Amino acid sequence: MKFRLAIEEIEPDHWVAYVLDLPGCFSRASQEQEAIDRAPQCIRQHFSWLRRHGVLTPPEDIPFETVVVERFLPYESEEEAGYLVNAFFEDDMRPLSFWEVEAARRLMDWSRQDLLSQVSSLEESRLLVPVPNEKFATMRGILFHIANAENWYLDRMGLGVPFASLPEEAFERLRVVRANAWSQLPHLIGEERLTRHSGEQWSGRKVVRRLLWHERDHYLHIQQVLASSSLEPKKKRR
């Protein structure tokens, strides 16, 4: 079996290799070649994850290879200062079928289950503990970012919730944005329309690609955060 990779440096020193033939499957690394080299292992891990959800996959010992078919380097938008334009791959041009959107919904559902299993039992005090070297400051900040990014991706196709109306509680924000995604994703079936924002091109397939990647990427990130001791609430001084 051969799997096609589309690779981009989505942020400085953050390379992502998307497995185009397996929506939701990707590898990530700080270096381009490392992301490519990790792809076979990530494919096998993705198959294992699918099997846990009852999906029929190729045998575990089947040989396969990966080949990079597209590569993209970000550049700063001429329309919005400080905005990095990310990849619009040739593969993103293809309209989504009904079954592709249905598969994406299932993958998003399983990914959300995994995310909530990590964080839903955390006390509010742990959600607010500063995380060292964390871009979004706290675990609550990370969850806000996951919800906001999902809504932002959908908004690229005019399908997002007005940001001003989103709840301030992190889990409720995740719920509201996901409920909207469920209702809006069917509108992407067969959609050939392309949009452009801040010099970046978007399609229904690109939106779904980014949706499937983003939450799973932060799920892996949260695993690393929770494995550290940084979220232990500090004891109050007497």
Side-chain angles (χ1 to χ4, degrees):
M1 299 180 68
K2 181 180 291 187
F3 294 96
R4 300 170 301 141
L5 303 180
I7 187 164
E8 70 168 321
E9 189 180 24
I10 199 160
E11 294 175 336
D13 300 320
H14 184 177
W15 286 85
V16 180
Y18 304 94
V19 184
L20 297 178
D21 306 296
L22 290 174
C25 181
F26 62 92
S27 66
R28 60 182 185 146
S30 60
Q31 300 294 324
E32 177 180 9
Q33 190 58 49
E34 187 179 3
I36 296 170
D37 293 342
R38 285 182 178 179
Q41 177 186 3
C42 291
I43 291 171
R44 296 198 185 281
Q45 291 172 342
H46 187 74
F47 281 150
S48 177
W49 182 60
L50 293 178
R51 284 193 293 273
R52 291 199 298 272
H53 290 283
V55 177
L56 182 65
T57 67
E60 293 185 50
D61 58 352
I62 191 170
F64 62 83
E65 61 178 304
T66 59
V67 56
V68 177
V69 296
E70 297 190 61
R71 179 180 182 271
F72 186 90
L73 289 174
Y75 57 89
E76 186 167 343
S77 169
E78 296 180 356
E79 301 174 15
E80 182 179 341
Y83 182 91
L84 280 182
V85 175
N86 288 134
F88 185 83
F89 297 118
E90 182 179 348
D91 191 72
D92 291 327
M93 291 287 294
R94 297 187 295 120
L96 291 159
S97 70
F98 168 84
W99 292 112
E100 286 176 317
V101 171
E102 177 61 21
R105 283 166 56 98
R106 286 190 296 162
L107 292 170
M108 289 172 66
D109 189 34
W110 297 335
S111 181
R112 178 56 55 87
Q113 290 175 26
D114 289 349
L115 175 68
L116 293 180
S117 72
Q118 285 183 321
V119 298
S120 60
S121 63
L122 293 179
E123 297 177 357
E124 183 68 17
S125 59
R126 294 192 75 193
L127 292 176
L128 298 176
V129 172
V131 179
N133 303 315
E134 171 53 50
K135 179 179 179 181
F136 303 106
T138 64
M139 184 64 69
R140 179 181 182 273
I142 297 173
L143 297 178
F144 253 66
H145 171 67
I146 292 172
N148 289 344
E150 180 169 311
N151 195 53
W152 187 83
Y153 293 143
L154 289 164
D155 191 59
R156 302 306 87 184
M157 299 296 288
L159 303 176
V161 177
F163 277 91
S165 68
L166 291 176
E168 286 300 315
E169 198 279 322
F171 290 105
E172 182 64 9
R173 181 172 291 218
L174 285 167
R175 186 195 68 78
V176 168
V177 170
R178 181 52 55 89
N180 178 66
W182 268 193
S183 67
Q184 299 296 348
L185 281 173
H187 293 291
L188 297 179
I189 297 170
E191 177 63 82
E192 297 181 355
R193 176 171 54 98
L194 303 179
T195 64
R196 184 180 178 89
H197 299 270
S198 302
E200 183 170 350
Q201 199 164 19
W202 292 84
S203 67
R205 186 173 294 274
K206 176 174 175 175
V207 168
V208 167
R209 170 170 63 80
R210 294 290 294 268
L211 287 172
L212 293 175
W213 158 75
H214 189 261
E215 183 168 88
R216 200 69 186 166
D217 189 59
H218 280 286
Y219 165 79
L220 298 172
H221 175 206
I222 289 171
Q223 273 189 330
Q224 297 172 342
V225 172
L226 293 178
S228 73
S229 61
S230 61
L231 285 187
E232 290 298 331
K234 295 180 180 180
K235 295 180 179 179
K236 296 181 178 180
R237 293 182 179 181
R238 295 182 179 179

